[in-house]
Structures are given as C-alpha cells and as structure tokens.
Amino acid sequence: MGASSIAQAGTCGSAVEFCPRLCPIPEIRDLVTAALRLSPDDALRRWTYHVLYCLLAITGMRVGEALALRVADVDLQAALLTVRGAKFGQSRLVPLHRSTHRALLAYLARRDRYLAGREASDYFFVSKRGNRLDGAEVRRTFYKLSRQTGLRGATASHGPRLHDFRHRFAVETLIRWYRAGVDAERRLPVLSTYLGHIHVADTYWYLTACPALMGSAVKRIEKRWENLS
C-alpha cells in the first residue's frame, strides 16, 4: 500500500518510514497493521492501539506520557503535542510529522463519533468505555501482537518492549547525525530536550549503549585524525 493511500485511510503506516527502528521496518508495519485486526466488532479499540503504537515508535515518547495526553494537549492545528507532568514534573512540546498529524486527526474524529452522546474522559486515547487506557493492558496487547507477528517467539516471555521504541529512537537519531557528519555531541542537548531528559548525561548514555553507534563515533574520530595528519 502506498503512502498516499495509507494516509487517506487515516493510518500511521507511512509515518513508520520516518521512525527510527526497533526492528526492520516490515516488522514494525506488521505489528501496527495487526493492531487494526483487534476486536473487529469494536469501532474504536483497534484504531486506538494502531495509532498509539505508531505514535510511540515515531516520537520516542514514554508510554505513560502518551497515555496521559488529553485532547487539549493535542494541537492539530499547530501539529504539536504538549507533554505535561512527565518525569520529574517537566513539560515539553513534541512536533508531529505530517503523516502522524493526519493519523491523529483521523483518530480524533473516530473517537468523537464513537463517544458521541455519552460521558467520557478528556484523555486522548481511551478505552471502549471512554476511560483512560490502562497501561498494563496496553503492554499485554503489545506482547500479544508481537507474538502474532513474530516480533516475539510464540511462547517467549521476553523480547522487545514498548519502551524499546524510545531507546531506538535516541540511538538511531544519533547514528543518523554521525553518518551525516554532524557533531552529535553538540546536538545532544537538543535530543535530550526532545526526549524529556533532565540531564544531558541521561542522553549521553546512548553513546555507549549501542555497538553500531560506537562504530559510527569511532569512524568520525578516525576521519578527524586523518584530516589533522
């Protein structure tokens, strides 16, 4: 399915092209597509999980931050999310890619139609009863879909976690900077602010946590030495 047809359908599939990878792109697509097969008789649940998982993969947000979003925090005119009361009580803005923006807009329309005429919370992502999503259920559903799509073994009790989307977002951003010849260490405060880290040292950890990232860093150092020799 092409990017334009995906966008017209109101899915996040095309946006996955722009997200750092927890696993190969086809596996991410398989997982978020599998979410659309959840509870076919439920008009909202499958879209809720599809859009939620896409958002986590694309933005690197913490799970709790995404679940705490309220409708007023999702500014679809400015294409910005306001993350309030995150870790250590900090708030920040998260800009949205245009395909993510379209997917959130489509979800909000579905959410409003589904909840029309009934009392519901003002959380952006809600259960079929109109309540805030339960974090434990969000993770259980992720594990279930991971097994269905092969991201986890059929009986595996360990494997990729939702929080890994956040780790890979940081690592792949740094790798792209290194490969582009950008001074990644100078840009670390930008990434740190985007991720909502209180201290740049928390983001600096990613520089030593990934062999591929270390390899890119070493190549940059070697190139600098060559230019100096």
Side-chain angles (χ1 to χ4, degrees), residues 2-78:
S4 59
S5 57
I6 291 173
Q8 289 170 2
T11 71
C12 306
S14 59
V16 172
E17 294 285 2
F18 302 91
C19 80
R21 299 190 289 276
L22 165 67
C23 56
I25 287 293
E27 293 186 27
I28 296 177
R29 280 206 185 116
D30 287 347
L31 186 134
V32 297
T33 300
L36 290 176
R37 296 193 290 271
L38 288 169
S39 307
D41 57 335
D42 188 322
L44 186 66
R45 182 172 182 259
R46 58 199 182 103
W47 287 104
T48 297
Y49 281 99
H50 172 79
V51 176
L52 173 62
Y53 294 150
C54 281
L55 184 67
L56 293 173
I58 293 161
T59 65
M61 292 174 65
R62 299 179 179 95
V63 179
E65 292 173 346
L67 298 184
L69 285 173
R70 296 177 184 268
V71 173
D73 297 329
V74 183
D75 187 340
L76 294 175
Q77 287 190 329

Side-chain angles (χ1 to χ4, degrees), residues 109-141:
R110 288 186 174 93
R111 176 193 182 281
D112 290 347
R113 286 196 301 270
Y114 182 84
L115 298 175
R118 69 176 81 177
E119 284 191 22
S121 74
D122 63 346
Y123 285 102
F124 189 79
F125 293 110
V126 294
S127 68
K128 63 182 181 180
R129 294 182 179 179
N131 301 322
R132 177 181 177 176
L133 284 181
D134 176 66
E137 179 61 23
V138 168
R139 290 176 175 84
R140 284 193 294 269
T141 301

